[in-house]
Amino acid sequence: MSETNLSLPQSLGEKARAALGRRNIVFVGLMGAGKSAIGRSVAQQLRIPFVDTDDEIERVSRMTISELFASYGEEEFRALETRVIKRLLRGGPKVVSTGGGAFVNENTRRHIKRGGVSLWLKADLEVLWERVNKRDHRPLLKTENPKATLAALMEKRYPIYCDADITIESRDVRKDIIATEVLEAIASLTKKA
């Protein structure tokens, strides 16, 4: 009787983790797209750390994002954001969720491209609006017509987000469905050192 080599099939998380190698996966997209919620789920399934850049910025500055915008303006905030993202991308792998404007900044985008695989969670206006209109902590939406502001941000940023390595549609379904689609996309990547 010959011995057969039985190997257990890899889970989707294991396949994605193998394809990712030492690279980071960096979530980009507008506020409300699900970068943090989906990012946490993906990190858990990949068994690697998750970091939200906004949380890290608040930790190192000891100020909220809204306070930073009010005290220093968007330009200074973006400079701090770039420094924090650059630091976070050293060493991997990890899942990094960025603020909505991070990938728009050319310098930050260059660091993301060098330090990982960028993944755009793309959502339509109604999905985003449904998710963000219930809370009052988004400094860029503190306008007379926040929904119109969100639409203007989409028009400005979506052509830049298109430069991400992977695009996944964020829509009104359970987050585990989107997380599975993200893992499938990662698993199909060509492995790099």
Side-chain angles (χ1 to χ4, degrees):
M1 183 172 216
S2 67
E3 226 177 278
T4 57
N5 183 6
L6 296 176
S7 62
L8 297 173
Q10 278 187 311
S11 71
L12 179 57
E14 291 167 334
K15 287 179 187 173
R17 177 67 187 84
L20 192 59
R22 296 184 49 81
R23 296 178 287 181
N24 298 297
I25 188 81
V26 183
F27 281 82
V28 302
L30 273 178
M31 60 189 92
K35 299 181 302 283
S36 292
I38 303 301
R40 278 187 188 89
S41 178
V42 167
Q44 184 177 17
Q45 294 188 55
L46 292 172
R47 294 186 175 101
I48 60 176
F50 170 81
V51 183
D52 183 303
T53 60
D54 284 352
D55 291 346
E56 186 66 9
I57 289 165
E58 288 182 346
R59 187 185 70 74
V60 299
S61 69
R62 298 184 184 151
M63 297 175 82
T64 67
I65 300 298
S66 293
E67 290 169 341
L68 285 165
F69 264 79
S71 298
Y72 299 104
E74 186 172 2
E75 188 175 331
E76 280 300 311
F77 170 79
R78 296 296 173 205
L80 173 60
E81 181 178 55
T82 298
R83 290 191 304 274
V84 167
I85 290 172
K86 182 179 178 183
R87 179 179 51 81
L88 289 173
L89 293 176
R90 288 188 202 125
K94 62 179 79 90
V95 174
V96 179
S97 170
T98 63
F103 201 67
V104 176
N105 179 301
E106 189 177 332
N107 192 26
T108 306
R109 190 166 58 250
R110 193 171 33 254
H111 289 299
I112 291 171
K113 288 288 190 180
R114 267 192 300 231
V117 176
S118 54
L119 189 143
W120 175 25
L121 283 180
K122 180 181 182 182
D124 69 31
L125 179 60
E126 293 309 316
V127 167
L128 294 173
W129 180 245
E130 182 63 30
R131 293 174 182 173
V132 301
N133 76 358
K134 294 173 181 77
R135 296 200 280 166
D136 188 28
H137 71 287
R138 312 273 186 181
L140 293 179
L141 294 184
K142 292 183 190 263
T143 63
E144 197 171 304
N145 186 342
K147 189 173 183 180
T149 302
L150 186 59
L153 285 169
M154 288 176 73
E155 189 173 319
K156 177 183 175 188
R157 293 179 177 179
Y158 275 26
I160 298 167
Y161 292 154
C162 283
D163 194 32
D165 299 312
I166 299 170
T167 300
I168 300 290
E169 289 290 328
S170 181
R171 55 209 186 278
D172 195 16
V173 297
R174 291 186 338 261
K175 72 179 178 183
D176 62 304
I177 293 172
I178 305 295
T180 297
E181 292 174 4
V182 168
L183 290 168
E184 287 170 346
I186 296 169
S188 69
L189 291 170
T190 304
K191 188 175 177 181
K192 286 185 189 172

